[in-house]
Amino acid sequence: MESIGMSIEIADAIRDLAAEREISEELIRKLIENFLLVAYQNTYGSSDNALVQFEEEENSPTLYARKEIVEEVNDSLAEISLEESLDYNAEAEVGDELLIEVDPHEFSRSAINSAKQMAVQSLREIQKDVLFAEYSGKVGELIWGEYVREHEGDIYVSLPSSDGSRTTEGILPQIFQSPSEEYRLHDRIKAIIYEVKKSVTGLQIVLSRTHSDFVRELFRREVAEIADGTVEIFKIVREPGYRTKIAIYSTREGIDPIGTCVGVRGARIQAIVKELEGERVDIIKYDNDPATFIAQALSPVQVSQVYILDEGKKSALAIVRDDQLSLAIGKMGLNVRLANRLVDWIINVRTREQASKEGIKFDSSQTLSEIFDEKQEAEATPPPITHVSELPGITAAMVLKLQDSRIEKISDLLALSVKERATLRGLTAEEIKQLESMLSMLPAEVPSHG
């Protein structure tokens, strides 16, 4: 009788646990059915003639052995004699099929335990699939959770379900944590879902606070006009923890996109900067005209003039006042680097005096080749580059593939060996060759570590 109780107990446990994990009733039934069939097979060697039926009202399972009525029994598992069948049905005849209820007490303890292990494993796989379906559709979305533990710099976050009935664990890797932020146990952490993947141990929900989409989602939550499409985000570039530049534009006449994002008395932008722990945010109005967009991308600097040097190579010269030069370049070249990435042009920042000394003339009647002396351009020292997107000759596709491997900085690449770089996910042999060529041409000043 112990085995009977065990089988009922397992079925009830499966149902309770599945309901807890919001698994459908259909899957619950399938789990219980598989459990009973495996226990039957482990006991009798085959489950070909086994059948599980559920009582609709009680939703409880009954296991049957399906047997053919024969005159002489050759297979006791699948056949039953006419004489014996009459004990079950007085109208039984040879050739009929009879369903005989199986009493689970006939199952051995080992058969029950084996079936239990199978059911538990199946439940884990179903739970993994359910969570994967739920969270894979939320990649890029903003989510919040509680800091519950830390391991080797990675933070594990308890994520509540949409209805708050259960929690799932996500991971905020160290490389996706802003360098300017500090996290403490039980802190409430906001992040975007960067990646969702299945692993041997379960489902891994990877979070990020450094991705540009994190800032995008903060603006979408804080600025109603972005959420409804009245104001569109053209592009966002970041140096997490230090500075962000966001280019926006309005889709309706009479709407000031910058004022909309700043909010009354700066309330909207202040809320976003607070969430970014003081990271500076420059809001820039996008313009189709490259020269105008470049001038605005160098915000907060007032640019005197922008000259397009080479439209094909996307090279431009921005002239600023002497007292604006250091501000335009920014600390460690950060402002001009982010402006380069925002507009996707190479911006050379000079004062008028510097430009004149370098042979740059400002006569509007001159051709583009006369505006900038190529020799002086080659000799000029560009600001240091740090982001993989700034590598000369790199394609957008290669940048995306590197980001898939969580590589956004050149220092991340240089920290890898040549052999490790050759195995980066998604890169073709030709792209790896191109990447090595780009790295070999980097100046010595480029740091080899974060």
Side-chain angles (χ1 to χ4, degrees), residues 366-384:
Q366 290 180 309
T367 63
L368 292 178
S369 61
E370 292 174 316
I371 290 178
F372 195 89
D373 184 275
E374 291 183 2
K375 181 179 178 182
Q376 294 293 337
E377 181 182 12
E379 292 174 351
T381 304

Side-chain angles (χ1 to χ4, degrees), residues 5 61 259 353 405 413:
E353 183 181 358
S405 296
L413 273 175

Side-chain angles (χ1 to χ4, degrees), residues 385-397:
I385 61 175
T386 60
H387 197 274
V388 292
S389 63
E390 298 172 290
L391 284 169
I394 196 165
T395 65

Side-chain angles (χ1 to χ4, degrees), residues 323-346:
D323 62 347
Q324 295 274 289
L325 180 62
S326 61
L327 185 61
I329 294 174
K331 187 177 181 180
M332 302 290 289
L334 182 58
N335 191 55
V336 72
R337 283 204 312 276
L338 287 176
N340 283 342
R341 288 167 52 194
L342 188 69
V343 302
D344 199 23
W345 280 64
I346 299 171

Side-chain angles (χ1 to χ4, degrees), residues 127-164:
Q127 182 184 356
K128 191 190 301 184
D129 290 341
V130 168
L131 287 174
F132 182 81
E134 177 184 350
Y135 284 97
S136 60
K138 296 181 179 179
V139 170
E141 290 185 12
L142 197 66
I143 196 168
W144 67 270
E146 181 185 354
Y147 177 170
V148 291
R149 63 189 179 93
E150 179 268 343
H151 179 66
E152 295 183 350
D154 296 337
I155 291 173
Y156 290 83
V157 181
S158 177
L159 305 172
S161 61
S162 53
D163 62 2

